[in-house]
Amino acid sequence: MDQLVALNAFVQTSETGSFVAAARQLGLTASAIGKAVARLEEQLQVRLFHRNTRNMALTEEGRMFLERCRRIFAEMEAAREELAQTHTAPRGRLRVSLPLVAMLLTPVLADFMAAYPQVQLDLDFSDRLVDVIEEGFDAVVRTGQPADSRLMRRNAGRFRLRIVASPAYLLTHGTPVVPLDLVSHRCLRQRSPSTGKLRPWPLGPEGNALPETMSATAIDPLVHLTVAGYGIACLPPFAIRQELADGRLVSLLKENVCEVDQFNILWPASRQVTPKLRAFVDFIAMHLKPGDPE
């Protein structure tokens, strides 16, 4: 029990950034938290925090240990839920990694919170390729085909990317009729935040060799710059639904877009599917509507 108290003191200190804040979370004194962490460091024979008079930060060993501790507490919570047989009332913390597409996901997450008020969402918004198991996530939502055989998957909706430009841009620069025409246009490209590589456009071989007028790892600036007439972009339909509807953007080369993408919900195959996880997977799969694949 003392060991679990020490682990909890370490996790809370890591997440709050101080012994004082961790003490408030756990109902203990800052001195007790500090001593528990010190005992833990002595037992492990490593330093978990860099400390000075102003702040404290995790060491590399501390970051590694934190991920292990999170998984320990996640497994303990799952075991408690299983033993309590809370099948009709999903509850507890649910740690989820989501892509940076808030315009699509935020309304669905708000509806989920309203439907399941006893589930506490812990959301990490990132487009990087996270390690679901090693980083202690209960689930992740991502586009594309997953390659990790340790994960279960459920499709949450399909969509076809759109090649778009503003009417003002097309009036000035002309309208591309075939993919090869894009070589002479200003192309606003998306760059993968995890690999740093430009993402190809779904136009067959021509989609790999387009000019790069500018690039961004996020979708929002590409939408803004395309609407402002700075070039042509390849964007998901859910990010530009309103802009297409009111005519600020025009779809191009529809018949040449040759790939359909999809959202997937992924979770570790080795873990017990808790009521809160099952509720989340079912809800997102039912309510997420990224766009018409046609």
Side-chain angles (χ1 to χ4, degrees), residues 27-294:
L28 300 171
T29 65
S31 174
I33 296 293
K35 289 177 181 178
V37 171
R39 285 195 301 270
L40 195 57
E41 289 179 322
E42 184 178 353
Q43 292 168 3
L44 297 172
Q45 297 185 340
V46 295
R47 184 174 290 277
L48 298 173
F49 293 100
H50 296 297
R51 304 180 182 85
N52 58 41
T53 55
R54 292 186 176 181
N55 54 45
M56 57 195 306
L58 285 167
T59 63
E60 183 61 31
E61 293 83 0
R63 283 191 291 271
M64 294 170 56
F65 191 57
L66 176 60
E67 296 305 328
R68 294 283 184 179
C69 289
R70 281 174 171 164
R71 291 202 296 277
I72 289 171
F73 285 113
E75 289 297 330
M76 289 177 60
E77 184 177 353
R80 282 197 297 268
E81 290 183 350
E82 185 178 358
L83 290 173
Q85 296 182 348
T86 55
H87 298 292
T88 57
R91 68 182 70 233
R93 182 183 292 270
L94 190 70
R95 191 162 182 253
V96 183
S97 177
L98 301 143
L100 294 171
V101 285
M103 74 285 288
L104 172 69
L105 290 162
T106 303
V108 181
L109 295 171
D111 291 342
F112 176 82
M113 292 174 64
Y116 298 97
Q118 296 184 76
V119 177
Q120 181 184 356
L121 290 177
D122 180 355
L123 304 178
D124 174 76
F125 282 90
S126 171
D127 278 335
R128 69 185 179 86
L129 186 63
V130 302
D131 189 314
V132 184
I133 296 173
E134 290 301 316
E135 296 185 47
F137 287 103
D138 295 297
V140 301
V141 179
R142 286 294 186 272
T143 59
Q145 295 295 328
D148 194 334
S149 61
R150 301 173 300 168
L151 303 177
M152 298 292 290
R153 179 188 73 181
R154 182 162 174 185
N155 184 348
R158 303 167 74 224
F159 62 94
R160 193 185 298 274
L161 291 167
R162 301 287 186 91
I163 311 297
V164 294
S166 71
Y169 174 88
L170 297 175
L171 184 64
T172 302
H173 299 276
T175 300
V177 178
V178 295
L180 193 59
D181 292 344
L182 293 170
V183 173
S184 61
H185 280 270
R186 298 173 60 84
C187 294
L188 312 180
R189 307 287 301 276
Q190 187 176 12
R191 190 175 292 276
S192 168
S194 57
T195 67
K197 296 180 180 180
L198 290 172
R199 288 179 170 164
W201 290 8
L203 297 169
E206 290 89 347
N208 293 301
L210 299 175
E212 176 195 353
T213 300
M214 67 81 65
S215 63
T217 57
I219 291 174
D220 286 350
L222 294 175
V223 174
H224 178 79
L225 291 170
T226 308
V227 170
Y230 286 97
I232 299 175
C234 179
L235 298 166
F238 50 81
I240 50 174
R241 193 167 287 151
Q242 188 57 50
E243 289 80 0
L244 288 170
D246 61 24
R248 284 180 290 160
L249 290 178
V250 177
S251 282
L252 308 169
L253 304 171
K254 287 183 181 179
E255 65 279 6
N256 298 106
V257 176
C258 56
E259 297 173 20
V260 173
D261 209 341
Q262 67 182 44
F263 272 97
N264 292 299
I265 312 169
L266 310 169
W267 66 94
S270 59
R271 288 189 193 163
Q272 169 78 16
V273 179
T274 60
K276 62 184 179 183
L277 177 56
R278 186 176 300 282
F280 180 81
V281 171
D282 290 344
F283 193 92
I284 297 299
M286 183 177 299
H287 292 87
L288 190 66
K289 300 185 187 306
D292 189 339
E294 297 306 325

